[in-house]
Amino acid sequence: MKSYAFLIILSFMFYSCSGNHFSRYAQYNTKAYCYEDQQYLCISNDSLKLKYVSFGGFKFASSEEEFKKLNKKRPKFKNILLYGDDRYINTEYYVLIDNKKRKKGFVYSDSIIGKNHLTIAVSDSCHESNKKFLLKGLRNL
């Protein structure tokens, strides 16, 4: 009986540790086209007072459920504010809050907006000019 209770507690701990990868602030993301040509999308987060400018062809996730629709794998980071994916140009990126890990296969850009440490992680597979644009997309509101 004790081993059965131990297994239940262990599985609960595993489940709780593998929980949500998205920041609690991600739910406040809103999306709108930045300009009339609809080539760029602005993702704003009023609670963090920031805006991120991305290409309009990306598909986005601000929650675990949205992420699962775009990508069958687990997210590569925690504290995700925004995930962007474009299969056509073979690129994915993450906008992260308080990121402490640098994983292989990504290039990074760090910013401080308000009191928040934000990191943009763009996949290495991204074309160099697109990579530069995506790494500079974070702005104050």
Side-chain angles (χ1 to χ4, degrees), residues 9-21:
I9 291 170
L10 187 63
S11 63
F12 176 74
M13 287 175 51
F14 176 75
Y15 178 75
S16 66
C17 290
S18 65
N20 197 348
H21 290 86

Side-chain angles (χ1 to χ4, degrees), residues 4 6 17-18 20 22 25 29 38 42 47 51 56 61 71-72 84 86 97 99 102 110 124 128-129 133 136 139-140:
Y4 181 70
F6 177 73
C17 290
S18 65
N20 197 348
F22 281 79
Y25 294 106
N29 292 344
Q38 298 186 354
C42 289
S47 62
K51 174 173 73 171
N71 195 326
K72 302 299 179 205
D86 189 328
I97 298 176
N99 180 55
R102 301 278 198 221
D110 293 299
D124 277 338
E128 199 61 36
S129 62
F133 176 82
K136 293 181 183 179
R139 297 174 172 81
N140 269 330

